[in-house]
Amino acid sequence: MTFEATIRPADYQDVGTLYRFICELEETQLNAVAFRAVFQRNLTDKRVHYLVAEVNEDIVGFISCHVQYLLHHTGKVGEIQELYVMPEYRNQQIGRQLVAAMEQLAEAHGFVNLEVTANQKRTHTHRFYQQLTFRPSHFKFVKEFQ
């Protein structure tokens, strides 16, 4: 079965659902107070785009994109930071619909690139993006401070 989702910008009313989604995505319990503060701040930042997918008025998926003006691209680049679809809605085209909506937003806002990084262990995620014509052209290196 394939669901036709309604894609809309996220708003602050969605914070509880998105907190749960991101905790599941990251496989950890994030600090809820800090999450709410970052979410609220980002909702007012024109360089951050949050979209949700709804089926029957229930949020079943989420995508985020952060925008930067990068010298080496000589323009505006969006990077998908999070993409989450509830397990029972996976393989139903919800993720594809969210990415397609973000691609439309990227074109409308004049991005020169739309990028995404996925953890090395998420090979199914790598395949998903490659099927959507994203190509694996870079490595990402991370240094944590905590």
Side-chain angles (χ1 to χ4, degrees), residues 50-73:
Y50 292 150
L51 301 176
V52 296
E54 292 181 325
V55 173
N56 299 323
E57 298 183 20
D58 292 324
I59 298 173
V60 300
F62 168 72
I63 191 169
S64 71
C65 178
H66 292 240
V67 179
Q68 301 177 73
Y69 287 86
L70 299 177
L71 294 173
H72 66 282
H73 286 294

Side-chain angles (χ1 to χ4, degrees), residues 21-85:
F21 286 1
I22 300 304
C23 287
E24 289 175 21
L25 179 67
E26 294 299 317
E27 300 173 352
T28 191
Q29 195 68 33
L30 298 167
N31 177 308
V33 172
F35 182 94
R36 287 178 182 274
V38 171
F39 184 70
Q40 187 168 19
R41 178 192 172 282
N42 285 351
L43 283 175
T44 63
D45 189 335
K46 298 211 181 292
R47 296 169 300 166
V48 178
H49 302 279
Y50 292 150
L51 301 176
V52 296
E54 292 181 325
V55 173
N56 299 323
E57 298 183 20
D58 292 324
I59 298 173
V60 300
F62 168 72
I63 191 169
S64 71
C65 178
H66 292 240
V67 179
Q68 301 177 73
Y69 287 86
L70 299 177
L71 294 173
H72 66 282
H73 286 294
T74 63
K76 192 187 305 189
V77 175
E79 184 174 359
I80 295 171
Q81 296 293 324
E82 295 109 357
L83 173 61
Y84 179 85
V85 175

